[in-house]
Amino acid sequence: MHLSTSKIHRRLFQLSLLSASCLAAFESYAAIDCTNLSKWNANTVYTGGQQVQHQNYAYKANYWTQGDAPDTHSGEWSQWKELGACLGDTNQAPRVELKSPKASDSILVDQTVTISADASDSDGAIEKVVFFVDGQKVGEDRTSPYAVNWNARVGDHRITAIAHDNDGSQSPVSIVDIKVSSSQPGNEPPTVDITLSANSVDLGDTVTFQSQAMDKDGNIEKVEFYVAGELVGTVNSAPYNLEYTTLTKGVMPVIAKATDNQGASTSSSAVLLEVKELPTVSSCRPDGLYQTEGVMVPYCTIYDESGREKMGADHPRRVIGYFTSWRSGDDPQTAYLVKDIPWQHLTHINYAFASIGSDGKVNIGDVNDPNNVAVNKTWPDVDVDSSLGFKGHFGALATYKQRHNVKTLISIGGWAETGGHFDKDGKRIADGGFYTMTTNSDGSINHSGIETFANSAVEMMRKYKFDGLDIDYEYPTSMAGAGNPDDKDFMEPRRRYLWASYQELMKVLRNKLDRASAQDGIHYMLTIAAPSSGYLLRGMESFDVTKYLDYVNIMSYDLHGAWNDHVGHNAALYDTGKDSELIQWNVYNTAAYGGIGYLNTDWAYHYFRGSMPAGRINIGVPYYTRGWQSVNGGTNGLWGRAALPDQTQCPPGTGEGEKNNCGHGAIGIDNMWHDKDANGNEMGAGSNPMWHAKNLENAIWGSYSEAYGLDPDNDPSDRLIGQYVRHFDNVAIAPWLWNDEKKVFLSTEDQTSVNLKANYVIDKEIGGIMFWELAGDYNCYLINEQGTRTQVDESEQACESGRGEYHMGDTMTKAIYDKFKSATPYGNKLSTTPTANQTLDIAVKTSGFKVGDQNYPINPKITFTNNSNQTLPGGTEFQFDIPVSTPDNAKDQSGAGLSVIASGHTRPNNIGGLDGPMHRVAFTLPNWKNLPVGGSYELDMVYYLPISGPANYSVKVNGVEYAFAFEHPELPSAQAGNQ
């Protein structure tokens, strides 16, 4: 425990001019004059007493030091002592001066004009110089001499240049006005001006742009209006007026551009419009969702006033299906197309997958290839609106979703395409994908890579009419061996740095989507597919990116599989206390774990509940199987073992760890949806669509078998042998098939299990269910005399009596829909307890997580910084929530006496589910130590299983309770003395 003076970010709240419920945030800083302090340099030796500035804070060296950054090495006994925040912005703004063209230059239309400028920065370096013509950006240059080329247009133009330095400051604008003459006599260019109804407004206000446009020898064809270089509207007849609603804060040039009937155009001089910063809290914004500062996000276009998603009267909960791109052939036995989707039962569809190309941009292959399934290929009976300008799956999805009020998102990544992409021949190119796009080889954040990717992702989403982005990055964890083993060379050296880069990626995506939302008048969504394994989540700190997400889809499946020899459920809802993998690692009997088993959906849900309302969480359901062969022991195979006989032949990425064997995955007829290794050989995994598993259960040889390559005459593993008997684990809520003759175990799902999982979602107020994938669902079909499937038999009697077969359908999806259609609204609040009616500005930062296997016990440092304007006295009590994914034995090592004051789960195990959702913890400042304005208190916390969060902070000062302002910007702020 220690108290130190730290960064003072004092946030003052006042009522917005836009709404009495909206709050404005401004920052002020402690007064330290840093004008004469040199900037810290890693190569310089400093001795005791020397002062420097670093990141706008002043520091004094306590003793000899070199290379120790002051922001991470300050404290009473550290190399540096922090003196306080610098007075104002000590960074000197750069300077820029346009050198060419000159106002006196004679310039003709279509002439290539070199626009050049000199730029300098007295206390740093020039990052770039950006050039504009009539407020429109025409280019930028990052190296001296700073210049771009521009193709001249007839008329009067204003050229401007702005320099940006390495600390983010920008120069005053340098301006030159020029005239471009027509090379063809006989047509005089038009004249145009612009005035604004107001030159300074609040964010969200409407401004009237008024233009006078005339043409001496013809008529005005149109007047276009530009704000900060972006076209915001066109008027084709007088009066040339435009109503413009401000969307972004800042000072922006506004111009009018008039074009005459012969194509000559003239731009007005720029008029500056100041839009004042007024961050707002929309009544429709979901609880806890981050809002990009200064951007008016139109949440109410997809959320209601309570922050719940609007999905239709019969869809109070989400039903999200993944649609895969690769089932796109012409054989009806194997194809699954947009027309086959049960649209009426769904709320969202995720298109899987786009990847990251070698250029760092979102990739869907060659868009000029007529057979590109994403944007060009066509299929009989699949409708595409011809006005869209694109075909393929994207065109079909855009067409059908309008008919059924379903949102579509483009999913980027996935297991195979997190670290690479596929070329036109289907060969996987492992070139880094998410790993190198986000993280440089030295571990630093690849800001330019993230910027390139994010811009391309938003552009693709808009172009192809998607409603949002779904990031399927598997996995940005510090735990070794996580991810596709083919990407080992990229992911393992970067492992300890991946989470920091992921945080930046998600923030940048949220910011860009918010800005696009404001521009387009529709809220664009950002979601992820998140892991559910406690092992993976232990390397993802406190998963503090949930604030950027509209919702999270938990991949609460693949909890057991042939990567090891523990034969268990693919997607158990609850722990049973019998998981052989957890038993092997002594999880149940280790006191610190509180008897909690963490390989189940319920545990994963409660993990994410620590940082999100229940309604922003969706659990995952697999529409496929996992399985093993040659299983030994267990009860009808369950919790038996199935090790590959020759452990020297384990596939890469399996059987890792001192206690782990790789599994003997089922093959042949028990592995119809199998992957292949690099040599083209089948990989044993027991992977099948649920309709094939239903046929195995009913001893049906499917008519589709040949289309999937099954050859029973020549391959014994493809033969239908033995009886597949269905069993059901009433505690785990998980069915499975057991073939005793073959010793084959297949973990399955069916209508019974999804009904019970849907009940769980309703009872817990969860947002909904996501499933992988649509083509795995089943129906029972009647078979005619020619062996062809005809109509659906909803009773399934035909399949049970040998007169039918199962194939792709919607039985499980419809079951989920039927359960949800009359459900109560989902939970929309993060907190489960009443919130105080006023706030104090106290910042919270969680840091110091160890990486990989070193992160046990989990021991972060939580820093509380007092940004209010009154000292918090000794004895002040702090409280917050942590989820029940960790037992109620959290503590601290800083002498603050942290303890659980209200346990959310007290049972000695979580068999049948955690009680939850939260533990309430508290600690108290020592009576003898105050927390001054700008001071920080570092809590050295300890817990034993992963959590997201903490959340729902409060502080009690002299008996009065306050919420934290960053969690509740909608509440009025208060001084600690106002009681």
Side-chain angles (χ1 to χ4, degrees):
M1 177 275 291
H2 73 270
L3 289 167
S4 67
T5 304
S6 186
K7 300 180 181 179
I8 304 174
H9 298 289
R10 186 172 301 156
R11 194 170 297 274
L12 304 176
F13 290 89
Q14 64 181 22
L15 291 179
S16 164
L17 299 177
L18 301 179
S19 167
S21 65
C22 300
L23 302 170
F26 303 90
E27 293 186 343
S28 60
Y29 300 91
I32 301 293
D33 187 357
C34 299
T35 304
N36 296 319
L37 297 184
S38 62
K39 290 188 175 182
W40 173 78
N41 187 305
N43 297 319
T44 301
V45 172
Y46 299 96
T47 56
Q50 285 187 276
Q51 296 184 13
V52 299
Q53 58 171 301
H54 181 58
Q55 296 184 351
N56 289 332
Y57 284 80
Y59 297 88
K60 182 173 70 174
N62 288 324
Y63 44 81
W64 188 97
T65 175
Q66 181 182 22
D68 302 309
D71 60 324
T72 56
H73 294 80
S74 62
E76 185 176 0
W77 310 112
S78 298
Q79 290 90 334
W80 295 95
K81 178 181 179 181
E82 185 178 306
L83 302 177
C86 293
L87 177 63
D89 184 1
T90 63
N91 178 45
Q92 300 298 310
R95 300 174 61 84
V96 67
E97 181 182 1
L98 280 164
K99 305 304 289 185
S100 69
K102 304 290 187 183
S104 58
D105 288 351
S106 177
I107 304 172
L108 297 178
V109 66
D110 293 331
Q111 179 179 331
T112 299
V113 178
T114 298
I115 306 174
S116 66
D118 288 342
S120 61
D121 187 39
S122 61
D123 60 350
I126 297 296
E127 183 75 15
K128 61 182 177 181
V129 175
V130 185
F131 298 93
F132 302 84
V133 175
D134 301 328
Q136 293 177 265
K137 179 179 174 181
V138 295
E140 64 180 52
D141 197 348
R142 294 177 176 267
T143 58
S144 179
Y146 303 101
V148 297
N149 290 329
W150 170 66
N151 195 44
R153 305 188 308 269
V154 170
D156 296 325
H157 302 285
R158 170 161 288 187
I159 297 175
T160 55
I162 301 175
H164 298 253
D165 70 12
N166 58 314
D167 284 325
S169 294
Q170 66 181 46
S171 68
V173 179
S174 179
I175 300 173
V176 63
D177 292 318
I178 64 170
K179 182 179 182 67
V180 177
S181 303
S182 172
S183 61
Q184 300 295 328
N187 179 40
E188 288 287 331
T191 60
V192 63
D193 64 10
I194 187 171
T195 58
L196 311 184
S197 60
N199 293 93
S200 179
V201 297
D202 294 329
L203 187 66
D205 284 357
T206 298
V207 183
T208 302
F209 299 162
Q210 299 172 315
S211 177
Q212 297 290 329
M214 299 178 61
D215 189 45
K216 293 181 179 179
D217 56 353
N219 54 69
I220 298 297
E221 189 76 18
K222 62 182 177 180
V223 174
E224 299 168 302
F225 294 92
Y226 292 84
V227 175
E230 184 169 347
L231 179 65
V232 296
T234 302
V235 180
N236 296 312
S237 60
Y240 301 108
N241 299 336
L242 181 74
E243 299 291 314
Y244 171 70
T245 301
T246 56
L247 301 173
T248 307
K249 69 173 184 177
V251 178
M252 293 163 284
V254 182
I255 69 159
K257 176 184 174 183
T259 303
D260 70 14
N261 58 310
Q262 295 189 52
S265 63
T266 304
S267 297
S268 70
S269 296
V271 177
L272 296 182
L273 172 64
E274 179 189 21
V275 181
K276 297 176 183 176
E277 177 182 352
L278 286 173
T280 63
V281 181
S282 166
S283 60
C284 299
R285 181 174 62 94
D287 188 24
L289 179 61
Y290 174 92
Q291 180 178 2
T292 299
E293 187 176 3
V295 177
M296 295 287 290
V297 183
Y299 297 110
C300 295
T301 55
I302 71 165
Y303 292 107
D304 65 20
E305 291 186 356
S306 64
R308 293 186 175 96
E309 191 175 355
K310 296 185 285 191
M311 298 175 285
D314 61 338
H315 285 296
R317 308 293 177 98
R318 299 183 192 92
V319 186
I320 305 170
Y322 274 89
F323 174 85
T324 57
S325 61
W326 51 86
R327 307 191 194 284
S328 306
D330 300 319
D331 186 346
Q333 296 283 22
T334 58
Y336 190 91
L337 305 175
V338 170
K339 68 180 179 64
D340 302 317
I341 296 173
W343 288 89
Q344 69 276 20
H345 301 147
L346 299 171
T347 59
H348 304 72
I349 294 171
N350 289 352
Y351 176 88
F353 286 108
S355 62
I356 301 171
S358 298
D359 59 358
K361 298 180 180 180
V362 176
N363 170 58
I364 53 172
D366 182 1
V367 296
N368 296 314
D369 180 352
N371 292 314
N372 183 297
V373 297
V375 295
N376 289 329
K377 187 173 179 178
T378 60
W379 300 266
D381 303 323
V382 176
D383 296 341
V384 174
D385 182 350
S386 60
S387 68
L388 290 170
F390 52 92
K391 302 173 184 176
H393 292 319
F394 286 6
L397 288 169
T399 300
Y400 283 76
K401 78 172 188 176
Q402 293 298 326
R403 301 174 182 174
H404 298 279
N405 190 30
V406 172
K407 299 182 182 75
T408 59
L409 294 90
I410 185 165
S411 296
I412 307 170
W415 176 259
E417 294 180 279
T418 283
H421 63 279
F422 292 95
D423 66 15
K424 63 180 181 179
D425 298 319
K427 179 183 177 182
R428 186 175 187 270
I429 308 298
D431 53 3
F434 276 104
Y435 300 115
T436 54
M437 179 269 287
T438 61
T439 314
N440 294 314
S441 58
D442 64 357
S444 61
I445 296 173
N446 185 357
H447 291 285
S448 63
I450 290 173
E451 185 76 8
T452 296
F453 166 78
N455 285 334
S456 70
V458 173
E459 179 184 2
M460 179 175 288
M461 175 197 71
R462 286 166 133 172
K463 181 175 181 178
Y464 294 115
K465 312 299 184 185
F466 285 93
D467 298 288
L469 301 174
D470 177 57
I471 303 300
D472 290 19
Y473 179 176
E474 302 181 21
Y475 304 94
T477 179
S478 68
M479 304 304 292
N484 191 321
D486 293 341
D487 302 326
K488 187 174 183 179
D489 290 344
F490 297 109
M491 63 188 181
E492 293 305 333
R494 293 172 169 82
R495 183 66 69 191
R496 66 184 295 114
Y497 309 108
L498 293 178
W499 187 253
S501 298
Y502 187 64
Q503 292 170 314
E504 178 68 9
L505 170 66
M506 301 313 293
K507 182 177 182 179
V508 169
L509 284 171
R510 179 77 273 166
N511 287 340
K512 290 186 180 296
L513 287 169
D514 280 355
R515 295 185 187 282
S517 298
Q519 293 165 3
D520 297 351
I522 179 72
H523 175 68
Y524 290 121
M525 308 187 84
L526 178 61
T527 70
I528 63 168
S532 57
S533 161
Y535 173 80
L536 294 173
L537 292 170
R538 183 154 63 96
M540 295 178 168
E541 299 190 356
S542 58
F543 218 95
D544 55 356
V545 300
T546 56
K547 62 187 176 184
Y548 302 125
L549 308 175
D550 288 81
Y551 54 75
V552 61
N553 295 319
I554 308 176
M555 294 185 287
S556 43
Y557 38 73
D558 294 342
L559 294 168
H560 288 288
W563 44 86
N564 63 36
D565 64 341
H566 294 278
V567 178
H569 301 302
N570 184 18
L573 180 59
Y574 298 120
D575 185 66
T576 64
K578 299 178 181 180
D579 190 309
S580 64
E581 187 170 357
L582 298 180
I583 290 172
Q584 173 180 277
W585 294 100
N586 199 33
V587 170
Y588 294 129
N589 293 322
T590 299
Y593 293 141
I596 293 176
Y598 51 77
L599 294 177
N600 58 84
T601 299
D602 178 72
W603 182 88
Y605 157 68
H606 282 95
Y607 169 89
F608 284 100
R609 184 66 180 86
S611 62
M612 307 180 81
R616 287 175 55 209
I617 302 170
N618 308 305
I619 67 168
V621 173
Y623 282 7
Y624 64 93
T625 69
R626 290 276 182 200
W628 297 256
Q629 60 178 309
S630 303
V631 177
N632 294 309
T635 302
N636 295 312
L638 179 63
W639 306 128
R641 305 294 282 271
L644 187 70
D646 184 355
Q647 289 290 302
T648 67
Q649 299 300 309
C650 292
T654 67
E656 296 186 349
E658 58 179 335
K659 295 184 180 181
N660 287 333
N661 292 313
C662 64
H664 199 185
I667 61 172
I669 197 171
D670 303 318
N671 192 37
M672 199 178 73
W673 264 8
H674 62 265
D675 290 327
K676 294 182 179 181
D677 64 20
N679 297 317
N681 299 316
E682 176 182 354
M683 299 179 68
S687 179
N688 305 279
M690 280 311 309
W691 44 270
H692 179 61
K694 293 292 290 184
N695 283 331
L696 294 178
E697 179 185 344
N698 288 276
I700 297 170
W701 177 264
S703 64
Y704 51 81
S705 300
E706 183 178 354
Y708 282 91
L710 296 181
D711 183 11
D713 293 335
N714 298 300
D715 189 342
S717 69
D718 290 347
R719 296 170 187 166
L720 183 57
I721 297 172
Q723 185 178 5
Y724 295 81
V725 179
R726 180 185 182 274
H727 299 274
F728 193 82
D729 188 330
N730 289 302
V731 179
I733 312 299
W736 77 95
L737 299 180
W738 172 244
N739 187 318
D740 191 58
E741 182 176 341
K742 296 172 65 176
K743 303 300 181 186
V744 165
F745 176 103
L746 297 176
S747 177
T748 63
E749 295 287 343
D750 55 27
Q751 187 172 359
T752 299
S753 64
V754 298
N755 273 330
L756 293 170
K757 288 183 176 181
N759 287 340
Y760 172 86
V761 168
I762 295 170
D763 293 343
K764 296 290 186 183
E765 299 185 335
I766 294 171
I769 285 176
M770 170 275 292
F771 57 85
W772 178 274
E773 58 165 300
L774 280 157
D777 202 353
Y778 65 88
N779 280 339
C780 173
Y781 296 87
L782 291 170
I783 297 291
N784 63 21
E785 294 180 355
Q786 290 74 40
T788 303
R789 291 185 299 276
T790 58
Q791 76 229 44
V792 173
D793 176 12
E794 293 186 5
S795 72
E796 302 186 20
Q797 291 298 312
C799 293
E800 294 171 4
S801 62
R803 296 179 295 109
E805 73 173 15
Y806 290 94
H807 202 254
M808 301 174 189
D810 65 351
T811 295
M812 293 187 290
T813 305
K814 184 177 183 300
I816 295 169
Y817 165 78
D818 286 341
K819 283 285 185 179
F820 285 173
K821 66 182 179 182
S822 58
T824 55
Y826 62 65
N828 64 336
K829 296 296 181 184
L830 174 58
S831 179
T832 60
T833 56
T835 303
N837 57 15
Q838 54 186 335
T839 66
L840 286 180
D841 190 357
I842 300 174
V844 179
K845 179 181 179 181
T846 305
S847 61
F849 289 91
K850 297 179 177 67
V851 299
D853 285 330
Q854 297 177 359
N855 194 27
Y856 179 81
I858 303 171
N859 178 213
K861 292 174 171 48
I862 305 180
T863 303
F864 297 82
T865 301
N866 179 14
N867 291 332
S868 73
N869 52 9
Q870 181 164 333
T871 295
L872 303 182
T876 295
E877 182 186 57
F878 291 77
Q879 295 185 11
F880 53 87
D881 287 341
I882 59 175
V884 295
S885 58
T886 194
D888 59 359
N889 54 2
K891 59 184 181 180
D892 77 290
Q893 298 178 152
S894 43
L898 182 140
S899 64
V900 174
I901 59 174
S903 175
H905 182 85
T906 57
R907 290 185 288 118
N909 56 62
N910 63 325
I911 296 172
L914 290 157
D915 300 331
M918 303 284 194
H919 303 305
R920 190 71 174 168
V921 304
F923 71 92
T924 304
L925 291 179
N927 289 328
W928 50 271
K929 198 73 171 179
N930 296 336
L931 184 58
V933 174
S936 293
Y937 184 89
E938 187 176 89
L939 182 73
D940 196 356
M941 190 175 176
V942 177
Y943 51 93
Y944 295 92
L945 286 175
I947 67 168
S948 72
N952 304 321
Y953 294 92
S954 67
V955 61
K956 187 176 289 186
V957 185
N958 296 325
V960 179
E961 187 172 5
Y962 302 89
F964 281 24
F966 77 89
E967 285 192 312
H968 296 282
E970 78 282 0
L971 294 177
S973 60
Q975 297 182 3
N978 293 345
Q979 301 174 15

